[in-house]
Structures are given as C-alpha cells and as structure tokens.
Amino acid sequence: GDSVTQMEGPVTLSEEAFLTINCTYTATGYPSLFWYVQYPGEGLQLLLKATKADDKGSNKGFEATYRKETTSFHLEKGSVQVSDSAVYFCALSGRAGNMLTFGGGTRLMVKP
Amino acid sequence: GAGVSQSPSNKVTEKGKDVELRCDPISGHTALYWYRQSLGQGLEFLIYFQGNSAPDKSGLPSDRFSAERTGGSVSTLTIQRTQQEDSAVYLCASSKRTSGGAETQYFGPGTRLLVL
C-alpha cells in the first residue's frame, strides 16, 4: 500500500538557518504530494502541493519539488523564522477518493 | 465563508460509553474525510464520504466505529463501547470533490477524545 516516510524530529535550528525536511514515498501510479503544517494550538493547514513529476510547490518561502525518479518531496526553506516553529507533515493522495496518507510528522523548533 | 468546524472540542468519557463526534464541512464541499491523530499511530485515515455515501470504510479500526453523513453536509462519527486505545484527536476535513487527486483538504480543529 501507499506509505510516506519523513525524517524524525525534532529539528532545532537558529533563526535564518537553511531548512530541509526529507520526505520519500511509496505509491502505485502517480500520486499528488502535499506538505501540511500544524502550528501550536492550531489545526492542520496546507502549506504547498505538487501534482506531477518535476512540479515545484511553493508558499511562504517554502519549496518542494516532486521527484519521481527518487520518489521524494523534500521541503526546503532558505531562511527560517521563529514563527515557522510547527509540526510539518508530508502526505500523498493516490487512491480513489483522494484520502491522504501521511508521514509521521517532523517537529521544527526555531530559536532566536 | 466559515471553515470546517467540529464539536465538541474536547470529550472525556469512561471506558465502555458511547461517544458521538460531529463535523460541519465547508459549505458546498461534497467530500468529507475523518482521520485520527494519536501518539502511537500518527495521522491515519478512517473513512470518507462522497455526498452521503461512504465508498471506503477501510480505515475504521473496528466495528465499534461508524459514521454517517446526512444532507450532504454534517457528519457524525460514533464510537461505541469506547476503549482507552480510542483516545486520540479526531480530525475532519472537507474538499470540493474526491476526484482528480489534487484537491486540497481543509481540516477542522479536531476533537480531543480521552477515554478513562
């Protein structure tokens, strides 16, 4: 079945550092890929998505590129801020009905 | 308009009791999803609705779990004879449709269930 693997956290960075959170997936066919973010005390919200190979999703300075050859969708940001502290979930949608399969989540902590 | 709403926000119950969790999707969204977020299992899919029908119930953990949707809108997730392992945050999400693969799902704030 479908699965998503992402790096375990917590990831602790200083403000303005470069961020990478690795995500790889296993799926049949051609899934859509997503990054969702959960800020403290808030619900899950979509950060970015990509629907086909080589697509790049971007939002709020975050980027991720759909790499079919490596089945990856790594999340990057050039300069993190304290306000980026949250839990980040990589997910895919590939089955009929479009239900999401999530990775385990990565907690990011950014220190001033 | 308003986002996805869920009630109650918190529920504490005793083992063996039944609980009902409610989800109000975004108006006009035909697809509705239930997920569960727990420490041991992460985020897992439970069931989805297209309109009032539930084509895929494969994620429901046991026959103690059931869900319904009426009028293509509100959905209720019912857990009968609750067990301590049912303690989790139950999330509801909605999207415009279930086809196409790239539809964004909008999540509610969740119901935090604690079974004592």
Side-chain angles (χ1 to χ4, degrees):
Chain A
D2 297 349
S3 67
V4 176
T5 302
Q6 58 183 108
M7 59 190 293
E8 291 189 19
V11 174
T12 304
L13 296 173
S14 297
E15 205 165 23
E16 299 184 0
F18 184 86
L19 168 71
T20 300
I21 301 178
N22 291 336
C23 171
T24 58
Y25 67 90
T26 302
T28 55
Y30 302 92
S32 294
L33 302 174
F34 306 81
W35 277 100
Y36 278 82
V37 59
Q38 190 170 35
Y39 297 103
E42 298 185 17
L44 274 171
Q45 53 186 278
L46 178 70
L47 181 60
L48 53 84
K49 67 181 181 183
T51 60
K52 61 184 187 295
D54 300 325
D55 266 3
K56 177 184 285 188
S58 61
N59 186 26
K60 300 181 180 181
F62 290 89
E63 293 182 339
T65 301
Y66 189 143
R67 301 289 188 197
K68 187 166 177 61
E69 63 276 13
T70 55
T71 61
S72 65
F73 193 55
H74 304 321
L75 182 68
E76 296 183 336
K77 187 175 185 182
S79 176
V80 293
Q81 305 299 312
V82 173
S83 57
D84 294 326
S85 298
V87 181
Y88 293 81
F89 292 91
C90 185
L92 68 80
S93 167
R95 294 163 52 191
N98 291 345
M99 68 284 291
L100 294 168
T101 299
F102 287 91
T106 302
R107 181 176 301 277
L108 170 66
M109 298 168 54
V110 181
K111 297 185 175 180
Chain B
V4 177
S5 61
Q6 293 185 245
S7 61
S9 55
N10 290 281
K11 177 71 177 179
V12 180
T13 190
E14 293 179 349
K15 177 181 173 181
K17 302 276 187 167
D18 297 352
V19 296
E20 284 190 354
L21 313 179
R22 177 187 169 106
C23 172
D24 281 272
I26 293 172
S27 177
H29 281 192
T30 61
L32 186 148
Y33 303 81
W34 284 98
Y35 297 88
R36 180 168 72 172
Q37 186 174 23
S38 58
L39 281 176
Q41 302 297 323
L43 265 162
E44 51 182 345
F45 163 77
L46 297 178
I47 186 171
Y48 88 93
F49 290 89
Q50 175 57 45
N52 291 334
S53 63
D56 190 336
K57 305 178 183 179
S58 63
L60 294 177
S62 74
D63 58 8
R64 296 185 295 104
F65 287 72
S66 63
E68 65 175 12
R69 189 179 185 194
T70 55
S73 182
V74 172
S75 176
T76 302
L77 177 69
T78 301
I79 310 174
Q80 295 178 309
R81 305 180 303 282
T82 52
Q83 303 294 312
Q84 289 180 331
E85 62 262 28
D86 300 334
S87 297
V89 178
Y90 289 82
L91 297 173
C92 176
S94 71
S95 67
K96 290 180 180 178
R97 62 189 68 86
T98 59
S99 61
E103 287 292 334
T104 297
Q105 293 184 25
Y106 297 86
F107 283 80
T111 293
R112 186 176 299 275
L113 175 66
L114 178 61
V115 182
L116 300 176

